[in-house]
Amino acid sequence: MYTSLSSDVVEYCNKCIDHFQTYANSIDAVQLVDGSCAQIFSYCSSLSDRLQEVHTLMSKENFRFYIKVRTALDVQARVIHDELYSVYGDQAPGLSTVERWSKLFREGREELEDDARSGRPISETTPQNIEQIRLLIDDDPYLTIEEIQEETGFSYGTIQRILTTHLNLRKITARYVPKELTDLQRAERVRICKENLEKIQQGTWRLCDIITGDESWFRPKQLGRKSSHAAWIRRGDPPPTVVRQNRPSYGTRGIKFHHDNGKPHVHNNVLAYLESEGLTVVPHPPNSPDLSPCDFWLFDLIKENLPDQSDSQSLHDAVISFMNSLSNEEYKKTFEKWIERMQLCIDNQGDYFEHLMK
């Protein structure tokens, strides 16, 4: 109740501040902005900052207490971060913040509060303050507002206004790529996509005959989601990339089997068995999860909709139940997207293309 109310008030105050700043900057502020406007501006700014400070302070102390207890139990900072993120999502402190506080507690720190600073947080959107935050983001676009606040001493509301209004930034999750492609790999992606598309378009292969599959890790507790890689970017710019750290029935004669080039899939014994069963293997380019329906659609969809489970058996049952709940139309649309993606790969000279998709 308090959190919702304070957030609404902060948003309203920030809008008031922006309107007054626009008005004051567009005319002779000394002559035309009277005392009452100046008082309202000051009050809104103070109330916005104070409410946000109280809300942020409560969250900080709760998070730091948890970090302190888990650190005392000899739990590693990355594990603590994953635990917090699994519950609080993007509201949880960043990994660097957890690591810093875990280190402080291991060294004997007892206090949960920030070290005292002289004066109240700076709440001015001056050119110098804007430039300071811009340089911080240029150096590390994955910083959270909390981390910028600790670095600069600015108020939460000031940082938020500078990021969104003055720097025109928004936070977006980085897109994963398996590795940086070489020219040879890009050419191979184009060649295979052209060959596959030609067979489908000529009717040599029918989509209803293609079975696609892959593997992924599913855990009872959903940890380490992609949004932990959220970064500040300018509006309209593509998301940054993060290189992934590895990892009708008439018999089988007409079936086309599509999977990636994982070692279990391309082992000689596996290929020999598939051939003996009359299964045609659909070629798949190396390092191309963006061309695998399981990777670009199914796995993320399951994980986004899968609640925490108590054990591996309930996890298995929940995954199967969710997959069975998807309509045939959803699967059909995914194969149509697969064809669209192969064409995009060709048009983009074999490079990754997901940032070009609408």
Side-chain angles (χ1 to χ4, degrees):
M1 178 72 177
Y2 166 77
T3 301
S4 175
L5 178 60
S6 65
S7 298
D8 291 342
V9 175
V10 169
E11 181 179 359
Y12 176 76
C13 288
N14 284 339
K15 287 181 179 179
C16 290
I17 293 167
D18 291 336
H19 284 311
F20 277 118
Q21 285 180 326
T22 301
Y23 179 64
N25 290 336
S26 64
I27 59 177
D28 187 344
V30 176
Q31 294 180 1
L32 299 180
V33 178
D34 60 26
S36 60
C37 287
Q39 288 177 352
I40 294 173
F41 180 94
S42 176
Y43 176 76
C44 285
S45 180
S46 176
L47 181 58
S48 170
D49 290 338
R50 289 300 183 186
L51 280 173
Q52 191 60 66
E53 287 165 23
V54 171
H55 175 64
T56 304
L57 181 59
M58 291 174 62
S59 299
K60 282 182 181 178
E61 289 183 341
N62 289 337
F63 287 139
R64 290 170 187 173
F65 179 75
Y66 185 85
I67 296 170
K68 182 178 181 180
V69 172
R70 298 295 282 161
T71 300
L73 294 173
D74 204 28
V75 178
Q76 296 302 307
R78 182 171 291 277
V79 175
I80 300 173
H81 171 263
D82 287 344
E83 292 172 344
L84 289 171
Y85 190 86
S86 68
V87 177
Y88 294 101
D90 289 337
Q91 299 302 315
L95 176 59
S96 59
T97 299
V98 174
E99 289 175 337
R100 181 165 54 80
W101 279 94
S102 179
K103 182 174 182 292
L104 289 173
F105 291 135
R106 288 183 190 278
E107 292 172 350
R109 177 168 178 140
E110 294 293 334
E111 299 79 10
L112 302 175
E113 298 79 9
D114 289 319
D115 294 331
R117 294 190 181 99
S118 58
R120 65 185 301 274
I122 303 171
S123 58
E124 297 178 1
T125 52
T126 64
Q128 293 81 4
N129 294 346
I130 294 171
E131 179 64 11
Q132 183 177 354
I133 291 180
R134 185 189 68 78
L135 292 174
L136 287 173
I137 294 298
D138 285 346
D139 183 60
D140 184 4
Y142 297 94
L143 286 173
T144 64
I145 291 182
E146 180 191 56
E147 290 168 335
I148 298 173
Q149 193 175 11
E150 294 186 2
E151 181 75 21
T152 62
F154 300 167
S155 68
Y156 189 102
T158 295
I159 296 170
Q160 192 171 49
R161 286 194 296 277
I162 289 176
L163 289 170
T164 58
T165 303
H166 297 276
L167 296 179
N168 196 30
L169 299 177
R170 62 189 179 118
K171 203 158 198 183
I172 190 169
T173 301
R175 62 188 179 95
Y176 276 91
V177 296
K179 62 181 295 185
E180 298 298 333
L181 295 171
T182 65
D183 291 341
L184 182 62
Q185 289 168 336
R186 280 190 284 270
E188 184 71 356
R189 278 164 57 89
V190 171
R191 182 188 69 80
I192 291 177
C193 285
K194 284 183 175 179
E195 290 182 359
N196 290 347
L197 277 178
E198 183 179 358
K199 291 178 180 178
I200 293 172
Q201 291 166 352
Q202 292 179 350
T204 306
W205 290 349
R206 301 188 307 170
L207 287 180
C208 61
D209 295 332
I210 296 176
I211 297 175
T212 185
D214 202 353
E215 63 284 324
S216 180
W217 283 102
F218 288 83
R219 298 178 175 85
K221 304 293 184 183
Q222 297 300 305
L223 303 177
R225 299 180 189 270
K226 291 183 180 180
S227 51
S228 62
H229 289 284
W232 294 101
I233 65 166
R234 289 178 174 79
R235 299 182 188 279
D237 287 353
T241 59
V242 175
V243 177
R244 189 182 296 276
Q245 305 298 317
N246 306 323
R247 126 133 208 95
S249 178
Y250 43 84
T252 62
R253 293 291 168 179
I255 291 179
K256 316 296 184 293
F257 201 78
H258 172 256
H259 53 199
D260 65 16
N261 299 302
K263 290 184 179 179
H265 301 162
V266 297
H267 191 278
N268 289 336
N269 291 346
V270 174
L271 295 178
Y273 172 77
L274 293 175
E275 183 179 359
S276 70
E277 292 294 319
L279 292 170
T280 300
V281 176
V282 177
H284 184 79
N287 307 305
S288 302
D290 53 343
L291 296 172
S292 171
C294 288
D295 282 315
F296 71 69
W297 173 68
L298 183 61
F299 291 154
D300 281 347
L301 182 66
I302 294 175
K303 292 174 183 179
E304 288 169 1
N305 290 276
L306 196 67
D308 289 345
Q309 304 295 321
S310 58
D311 52 47
S312 58
Q313 184 58 51
S314 64
L315 175 63
H316 172 271
D317 295 342
V319 171
I320 297 301
S321 176
F322 180 79
M323 292 182 65
N324 289 336
S325 72
L326 297 173
S327 66
N328 291 338
E329 188 64 26
E330 286 296 318
Y331 287 102
K332 180 181 177 182
K333 286 192 297 185
T334 301
F335 276 93
E336 292 171 352
K337 291 177 182 176
W338 181 46
I339 294 176
E340 176 188 347
R341 282 169 171 260
M342 285 192 283
Q343 187 60 55
L344 279 171
C345 179
I346 296 170
D347 295 342
N348 204 36
Q349 289 78 51
D351 214 339
Y352 294 122
F353 52 80
E354 288 184 313
H355 61 289
L356 303 175
M357 300 184 68
K358 296 180 180 179

